[in-house]
Amino acid sequence: MRRFVLPLVLALNACVPVTPGDTPTRALPQASDLPPMKTFGAPQPGSPIRSNNDLALDFIELSFQLESGRDLPVFTRFEGPISVRVTGAPPASLGTDLRRLMHRLRDEAGIDIFEAAPGNNANITIQAVSRAQICRALPHAACFVVPNITDISQYRPNRRSARTSWSNLRTRQQLAIFLPNDASPQEVRDCLHEELAQAIGPLNDLYRLPDSVFNDDNVHTVLTGFDMMILRAYYAPELRSGMTRGQVAAKLPGILARINPGGEDLPAQFATRTPRAWSHAVQTALGPGAAPAQRREAAAKALEIARAMGWKDHRRAFAHYANGRLLLASDPQAAQTHFRAADQYYAATKGARLHRAYVATQLAAYAITRGDGDSASVLLAPHIDQAARNENAALLSTLLLLRAEALDLQGRSAEARTVRLDSIGWARYGFGPDWAVRAKLREISSLNPLNG
């Protein structure tokens, strides 16, 4: 299921829920006086640079475990073409985003997936329902996917039964994805990418993956080049449902040599596994239910574990970032020290360029509060294109709004107005309704000392 461990672009100081588990998780509208919503053009996924030894280890751990850590006895996937249908009350953006995603799955992963004719049954039902319905079915989840049902009303009566157990599957035939129809277009799309990827492919998430949606930090919001390679391997003709871990492992070297020949001669990195204690500390720090003191204690523990593990990758950076977020209100100087450390570790990690864009919002926001438009502009400049390449409209609009404030501080008011206007179109996709867009505008504007 999609969770919100790292929602940097939703609010600069917010923390929202995260939950582990086995389930891979109004009034009539009025005319808006805001600029029209912007959408992204052709996808620009990056090519993963990985040793095939590392890819094989990632593939096995993604494919033979659930997010809770429970082992899966056999490999499962759809055998044959995969049909998809949409039910419920889908938002206007869903159809376009679904067609773009299915085109990518066919083109980049070689998966035979198509939209079923209206009124027909399908292998995968995508049901658009309210966030309240999703919360009643599975608290703290933004969206989720379940086997062997087609309607959200069927979930609660069957949630602990063999019918909806991923462990009992031997092949995939029918699944349902439940998405919110009252969220921002980007949130709906993000849910679509993660849940459809898990509906057809691996069910696990791994914190050690820096460039994947199969990661609980939720930095990447659309399927990456790494994800498409994993899915291409998942549907390789050498594999089939019902194979054991050992049987799949024996086939992977040949599969990866064919689809990723550049990874044959690369040295393996053998990234360490992520201890459950670290994951639990992160979930406590940034998830629901904990008091502020408990959150800070958990974040400090996550950093302590990262240091003890000798990590110098994005997980060490993430621990610093969590500490920075939780210290923003009480100790801004200490928070900035953690953000700078996070940026340094992200900079040293291949595949973590998007992570740096998130951290840049925190560093630049602090510079703006101090009236330092020059430093803020320098911090923001390298990351705007990165947010666009990764199709993250919420992050892109936040970076642009911060840039507009920095330009105002530099006395470049005409440029600031142009950049701010550009940001609003992306904010409408990233944040949704006009009130949310205006709230984001006010939030960023309030950082600027020129605005009182």
Side-chain angles (χ1 to χ4, degrees):
M1 71 190 72
R2 172 155 287 277
R3 292 173 296 278
F4 297 96
V5 178
L6 188 58
L8 297 163
V9 296
L10 300 182
L12 290 175
N13 300 318
C15 293
V16 267
V18 49
T19 49
D22 284 356
T23 306
T25 93
R26 67 200 177 170
L28 292 173
Q30 297 179 350
S32 173
D33 59 353
L34 296 178
M37 182 174 72
K38 293 187 176 185
T39 55
F40 294 99
Q44 302 179 62
S47 298
I49 302 172
R50 285 284 207 295
S51 156
N52 283 348
N53 283 335
D54 288 334
L55 277 174
L57 292 173
D58 293 339
F59 185 95
I60 290 295
E61 196 166 344
L62 285 169
S63 304
F64 283 91
Q65 274 191 344
L66 296 170
E67 293 175 15
S68 63
R70 183 184 302 177
D71 289 334
L72 291 169
V74 296
F75 177 81
T76 65
R77 70 180 188 188
F78 287 99
E79 301 294 340
I82 305 169
S83 56
V84 179
R85 67 170 182 168
V86 177
T87 65
S93 61
L94 179 57
T96 299
D97 284 335
L98 174 60
R99 287 188 289 273
R100 291 183 80 238
L101 176 54
M102 289 196 297
H103 176 77
R104 286 192 63 198
L105 290 169
R106 290 190 295 267
D107 184 57
E108 298 173 42
I111 296 173
D112 188 0
I113 187 169
F114 65 96
E115 195 165 1
N120 287 3
N121 292 327
N123 299 117
I124 298 174
T125 297
I126 299 172
Q127 187 177 35
V129 297
S130 70
R131 283 179 285 193
Q133 287 175 280
I134 290 174
C135 189
R136 285 195 294 271
L138 196 60
H140 309 308
C143 42
F144 62 103
V145 57
V146 185
N148 298 320
I149 63 175
T150 59
D151 190 277
I152 198 167
S153 64
Q154 300 169 333
Y155 177 64
R156 292 191 70 180
N158 293 285
R159 65 181 300 180
R160 302 189 190 282
S161 70
R163 180 179 178 182
T164 59
S165 170
W166 291 101
S167 300
N168 288 345
L169 284 186
R170 295 300 177 266
T171 189
R172 301 188 198 183
Q173 296 177 325
Q174 187 178 66
L175 294 141
I177 295 171
F178 303 112
L179 305 179
N181 58 14
D182 51 359
S184 72
Q186 178 167 320
E187 184 178 337
V188 176
R189 182 210 61 188
D190 295 354
C191 278
L192 175 66
H193 275 244
E194 180 167 345
E195 303 308 332
L196 188 56
Q198 292 193 310
I200 63 178
L203 296 165
N204 197 10
D205 283 334
L206 299 174
Y207 273 112
R208 72 169 181 260
L209 302 177
D211 54 349
S212 174
V213 301
F214 297 112
N215 187 324
D216 282 337
D217 66 11
N218 287 339
V219 169
H220 287 278
T221 56
V222 298
L223 293 178
T224 66
F226 171 87
D227 299 327
M228 289 297 181
M229 184 176 290
I230 290 291
L231 290 170
R232 181 175 285 277
Y234 211 86
Y235 281 83
E238 295 93 329
L239 303 183
R240 65 183 184 279
S241 292
M243 293 177 74
T244 65
R245 185 187 186 107
Q247 290 172 326
V248 171
K251 296 290 185 181
L252 281 176
I255 294 170
L256 295 174
R258 185 179 71 252
I259 68 174
N260 188 42
E264 282 292 278
D265 297 325
L266 293 176
Q269 299 299 310
F270 298 113
T272 58
R273 290 184 175 177
T274 306
R276 300 293 297 176
W278 187 88
S279 301
H280 178 72
V282 167
Q283 290 158 1
T284 301
L286 300 178
Q294 292 174 306
R295 294 182 190 278
R296 290 191 294 271
E297 182 181 349
K301 182 179 180 181
L303 183 54
E304 179 184 340
I305 293 171
R307 286 170 172 154
M309 293 293 294
W311 290 339
K312 298 183 183 299
D313 61 9
H314 57 288
R315 290 171 293 182
R316 175 74 172 267
F318 186 69
H320 278 291
Y321 178 78
N323 278 272
R325 283 287 297 276
L326 294 171
L327 290 170
L328 269 173
S330 60
D331 193 343
Q333 292 284 355
Q336 293 305 305
T337 299
H338 281 293
F339 290 139
R340 286 191 292 271
D343 186 60
Q344 290 171 1
Y345 284 110
Y346 281 139
T349 303
K350 288 183 179 179
R353 292 179 65 188
L354 185 61
H355 301 65
R356 295 191 71 195
Y358 282 108
V359 178
T361 65
Q362 298 288 353
L363 295 172
Y366 184 70
I368 289 168
T369 63
R370 300 177 63 195
D372 188 353
D374 292 342
S375 293
S377 291
V378 170
L379 286 163
L380 294 166
H383 305 295
I384 291 172
D385 181 63
Q386 193 66 24
R389 285 181 61 87
N390 285 273
E391 301 186 32
N392 193 322
L395 175 59
L396 178 57
S397 65
T398 300
L399 290 165
L400 290 171
L401 286 169
L402 289 167
R403 185 184 179 200
E405 298 305 325
L407 288 168
D408 271 335
L409 286 169
Q410 294 173 306
R412 300 157 65 184
S413 299
E415 291 177 69
R417 284 193 294 273
T418 300
V419 170
R420 193 173 289 112
L421 188 65
D422 185 39
S423 75
I424 294 173
W426 295 117
R428 296 195 69 186
Y429 185 87
F431 298 108
D434 288 6
W435 65 263
V437 173
R438 290 193 170 94
K440 178 55 62 175
L441 287 166
R442 289 193 298 270
E443 178 190 347
I444 303 298
S445 176
S446 70
L447 300 172
N448 192 334
L450 295 178
N451 298 327

